[in-house]
């Protein structure tokens, strides 16, 4: 967090596959997620996104780690993506207790944790890092409680215009 705040975040933006970024994050948190059901739903025509893949993977790792901490074993953690005209929206959902009312914005601050947190380890930096990374990408991050219980951590990234795939000419 100190490194992200000490200087302007230098993004290594490249056109990336969201599926690959999510796959890497799931692999990185596989032990913590092993007692949960994963429900990943991505549109089949999802375009590439221009981002710093390492930092966006960190966002997913932090959100998945929190979801695993607060969701009982056997609970479901979901990842969804959808497109609109200018943004890609990603939702990471869980079936945990949700966020106490009035703390939805505050939990993205440094060293802030949703209460009660007595038995859940952590420093309260993960969501602050997520906010810094998403802000640096020109997106937005927020949390909402789900009507069925649990939380929906949502963020957007600008959609951009991925380069057209180069077609090889078969005429020789």
């Amino acid at each position: 967090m100190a490194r992200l705040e000490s200087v302007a975040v230098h993004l290594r933006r490249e056109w990336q596959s969201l599926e690959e970024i999510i796959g890497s994050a799931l692999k990185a948190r596989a032990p913590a997620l092993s007692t949960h059901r994963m429900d990943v739903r991505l549109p089949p025509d999802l375009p590439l996104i221009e981002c710093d893949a390492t930092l966006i993977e960190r966002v997913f790792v932090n959100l998945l780690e929190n979801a695993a901490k607060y969701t009982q074993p056997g609970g479901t953690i979901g990842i969804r993506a959808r497109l609109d005209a200018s943004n890609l929206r990603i939702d990471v959902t869980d079936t945990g207790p949700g966020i106490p009312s009035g703390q939805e914005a505050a939990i993205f601050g440094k060293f802030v944790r949703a209460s009660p947190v007595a038995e859940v380890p952590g420093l309260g930096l993960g969501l602050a890092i997520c906010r810094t990374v998403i802000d640096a990408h020109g997106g937005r991050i927020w949390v909402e409680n789900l009507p069925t219980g649990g939380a929906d951590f949502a963020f957007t990234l600008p959609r951009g215009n991925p380069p057209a795939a180069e077609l090889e000419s078969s005429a020789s």
Side-chain angles (χ1 to χ4, degrees):
M1 187 68 195
R3 192 177 79 213
L4 286 173
E5 289 183 333
S6 66
V7 294
V9 178
H10 174 70
L11 300 177
R12 293 186 184 140
R13 288 183 187 259
E14 294 181 10
W15 291 100
Q16 305 287 338
S17 162
L18 183 64
E19 294 94 335
E20 289 180 17
I21 295 170
I22 292 171
S24 294
L26 289 169
K27 185 176 180 182
R29 286 294 163 248
L33 298 170
S34 65
T35 60
H36 300 84
R37 289 187 305 261
M38 291 302 306
D39 182 16
V40 179
R41 297 183 191 185
L42 305 175
D45 58 345
L46 195 61
L48 297 176
I49 58 170
E50 188 177 24
C51 69
D52 184 317
T54 302
L55 293 178
I56 296 299
E57 180 182 335
R58 172 54 43 199
V59 169
F60 278 108
V61 165
N62 289 352
L63 294 177
L64 289 168
E65 187 173 285
N66 280 353
K69 284 181 188 178
Y70 289 97
T71 300
Q72 293 293 319
T76 300
I77 298 170
I79 301 174
R80 306 269 186 288
R82 63 180 178 251
L83 297 163
D84 66 25
S86 57
N87 291 302
L88 169 65
R89 175 179 168 156
I90 297 126
D91 297 89
V92 178
T93 60
D94 64 51
T95 53
I99 306 301
S101 182
Q103 293 186 22
E104 297 88 352
I107 62 168
F108 290 97
K110 290 186 293 187
F111 306 110
V112 176
R113 299 178 65 206
S115 46
V117 295
E119 64 276 348
V120 180
L123 296 174
L125 286 174
L127 293 176
I129 290 169
C130 291
R131 169 155 283 158
T132 300
V133 169
I134 296 302
D135 287 350
H137 279 83
R140 185 172 84 88
I141 188 167
W142 68 96
V143 64
E144 298 172 347
N145 285 317
L146 296 168
T148 56
D152 176 1
F153 284 86
F155 64 94
T156 60
L157 294 171
R159 189 167 169 172
N161 295 310
E166 293 183 25
L167 300 175
E168 291 186 31
S169 173
S170 59
S172 297

